[in-house]
Amino acid sequence: MRTSPHLIKPTPLQVVMLKVAVALLPGIAAYAWVFGAGILLQVLLATVTALATEAACLKLRNYPIKPFITDGSAIVTAWLLALSLPPLSSWWMVVLATVIAIGLAKHLYGGLGQNPFNPAMVGFAVMMVSFPAQMSRWNAPLSLPSVDLTTWQQFGYILSGHLPQGLSFDTLASATPLDSVKTALLQQHSMSDIFSGAIFQSADWLSFLPSSVALIAVGYLLGGLYLLQQRIIAWPLPVAFLTVLLGMSGLFHLINPAQYTSPAFHLLSGAAVLGAFFIVTDPVTAPTTLRGRLIYAALIGLLTWLIRTFGGYPDGVAFAVLIMNIAAPFIDQYTQPAVFGRKPQGGVKHGH
C-alpha cells in the first residue's frame, strides 16, 4: 500500500471545528476591544447553554453524549450566535437564542449534518422577529466619549439588567451604521448630508466607523483567510457572495451616490465579512457542486443587498442565508455534473 493511488484521509470533525473556533478568535478579540468585555460573557453563556442543550437533546434521542458533545459543532454555533447578538444582550436572550439554535434548528431535524437551515441564523432570526426592540438595543463603541462602562458594569447589566446609579442604557445606546444610514435615507437625507456630520454628530458611532466596525471586519477577514489557507472552507462561497454584494452596491452607488451607500460601507458594516467566511460557507446547508456554490452564494449576496437597501431590516445576511438554505437542495439537484461516460448536453462523452 506504499504505492499510488492513495485515498486522502478526511480531516476529523473535531479538527475542523477547532480551526473554525481559532479563526473566530481575532474577530472576538476585536469585538471585545471595540465594545468591551461583555461579549466574552455572552460567548461563555452561549457556549454553556449550547453544550447543555446538546446533551439534553442527545439524551432524549438515546444517542451517546460524549462523541457528539465533544465534536465542537455546538461551540462554533454558540460563538457565531453570540457574535450576531447586540453586545450587551440580556442573559435570557443569549440563552433562549442558543436553545432555539441547538434544540430546534439542529436536533429537530436529526442533528449535525441533517439540519437544512443554519442553526445560528435561525436563532438570530427568531430573536429578531420576536424581540425587535431588544435586538435593536446596541450600545455605542467604547471609543466614544459618552461611553464609560467598566467590564464589571457590563457583566452586571447582562446578568441583571441594571446599571450603576446615574447611568442608563439610553445614554449608551446608538443605532448601528446600517440602521443610521437607512433611517436617514428614509427621511430624504442625502448621503453627503449623512457623512458630512450634518445628520450625525461626533457622539454617534457612525463617525467612528473606520476605527470601530472596520477593526472587527478585519478580525473576521484574518480568520476567513486562515480557513481558506487550511482548506476548511470552499473559496467559491465567500468570493461569489462578496462579489455580488460589492458589485451591486458599487453599481448603484455609481448611478446615484446620493441615495446608495458605497461598497466599502457595505463591506465594513454589519455581518458582511462574518457571513462571507463563517456563515455562507456552512458545509451542511450549502450546495456541494462548484456551480451550485457560486449560484447559491451569489444569490445570498444579492438578497443581502436588496434587504439592506429596500427591506425593513438594517442587515440582511441572516435572512438571505435562510432563504437560500431552502433553495440549496434544488440548486444542487440542477447543477450536478454529467455522469462519467454519459453524453452531456454538448454531445461530447467524458473521457473521449
Side-chain angles (χ1 to χ4, degrees), residues 73-95:
S73 61
I75 295 177
V76 170
T77 298
W79 288 18
L80 290 174
L81 184 54
L83 292 170
S84 303
L85 299 175
L88 293 181
S89 298
S90 299
W91 68 268
W92 63 267
M93 293 179 60
V94 180
V95 170

Side-chain angles (χ1 to χ4, degrees), residues 162-306:
H162 298 293
L163 290 171
Q165 188 174 3
L167 290 177
S168 67
F169 192 84
D170 291 337
T171 61
L172 307 174
S174 176
T176 63
L178 284 172
D179 199 8
S180 298
V181 171
K182 173 168 283 190
T183 302
L185 290 175
L186 290 175
Q187 296 173 351
Q188 306 302 315
H189 294 292
S190 68
M191 205 65 64
S192 59
D193 291 336
I194 296 173
F195 286 96
S196 66
I199 306 300
F200 302 103
Q201 304 302 320
S202 60
D204 194 286
W205 69 297
L206 183 64
S207 60
F208 286 75
L209 180 62
S211 62
S212 58
V213 182
L215 181 63
I216 301 175
V218 169
Y220 293 143
L221 176 61
L222 292 175
L225 294 177
Y226 168 74
L227 293 180
L228 286 172
Q229 186 272 330
Q230 293 291 310
R231 297 186 177 183
I232 300 299
I233 60 177
W235 66 265
L237 293 165
V239 169
F241 169 77
L242 292 176
T243 298
V244 173
L245 175 61
L246 301 182
M248 290 297 297
S249 57
L251 175 63
F252 278 79
H253 183 68
L254 287 175
I255 295 174
N256 189 354
Q259 291 299 316
Y260 297 99
T261 51
S262 67
F265 183 80
H266 277 278
L267 178 66
L268 300 177
S269 302
V273 182
L274 177 66
F277 293 102
F278 294 95
I279 298 172
V280 175
T281 55
D282 178 13
V284 176
T285 57
T288 58
T289 65
L290 173 60
R291 190 160 50 128
R293 287 171 172 173
L294 290 172
I295 296 172
Y296 170 81
L299 290 176
I300 292 178
L302 176 61
L303 287 173
T304 298
W305 180 80
L306 289 172

Side-chain angles (χ1 to χ4, degrees), residues 18-237:
L18 176 61
K19 290 183 177 181
V20 175
V22 170
L24 282 170
L25 291 179
I28 293 175
Y31 203 116
W33 176 265
V34 172
F35 289 105
I39 183 60
L40 302 180
L41 178 58
Q42 290 186 190
V43 168
L44 178 61
L45 287 171
T47 301
V48 173
T49 305
L51 293 175
T53 306
E54 181 100 331
C57 291
L58 291 169
K59 182 69 173 178
L60 290 173
R61 298 174 60 202
N62 294 321
Y63 274 70
I65 295 177
K66 185 176 179 180
F68 294 98
I69 205 172
T70 57
D71 62 16
S73 61
I75 295 177
V76 170
T77 298
W79 288 18
L80 290 174
L81 184 54
L83 292 170
S84 303
L85 299 175
L88 293 181
S89 298
S90 299
W91 68 268
W92 63 267
M93 293 179 60
V94 180
V95 170
L96 179 58
T98 308
V99 170
I100 292 171
I102 301 296
L104 298 183
K106 181 179 179 180
H107 281 280
L108 184 65
Y109 292 96
L112 183 65
Q114 306 298 322
N115 50 289
F117 301 100
N118 185 288
M121 293 301 95
V122 170
F124 172 84
V126 170
M127 298 301 291
M128 194 71 185
V129 172
S130 303
F131 308 99
Q134 290 84 346
M135 289 292 289
S136 63
R137 290 173 63 85
W138 283 72
N139 59 293
L142 297 179
S143 55
L144 291 180
S146 60
V147 179
D148 186 20
L149 275 185
T150 66
T151 297
W152 296 113
Q153 288 172 339
Q154 288 192 346
F155 287 0
Y157 181 78
I158 292 172
L159 296 175
S160 68
H162 298 293
L163 290 171
Q165 188 174 3
L167 290 177
S168 67
F169 192 84
D170 291 337
T171 61
L172 307 174
S174 176
T176 63
L178 284 172
D179 199 8
S180 298
V181 171
K182 173 168 283 190
T183 302
L185 290 175
L186 290 175
Q187 296 173 351
Q188 306 302 315
H189 294 292
S190 68
M191 205 65 64
S192 59
D193 291 336
I194 296 173
F195 286 96
S196 66
I199 306 300
F200 302 103
Q201 304 302 320
S202 60
D204 194 286
W205 69 297
L206 183 64
S207 60
F208 286 75
L209 180 62
S211 62
S212 58
V213 182
L215 181 63
I216 301 175
V218 169
Y220 293 143
L221 176 61
L222 292 175
L225 294 177
Y226 168 74
L227 293 180
L228 286 172
Q229 186 272 330
Q230 293 291 310
R231 297 186 177 183
I232 300 299
I233 60 177
W235 66 265
L237 293 165

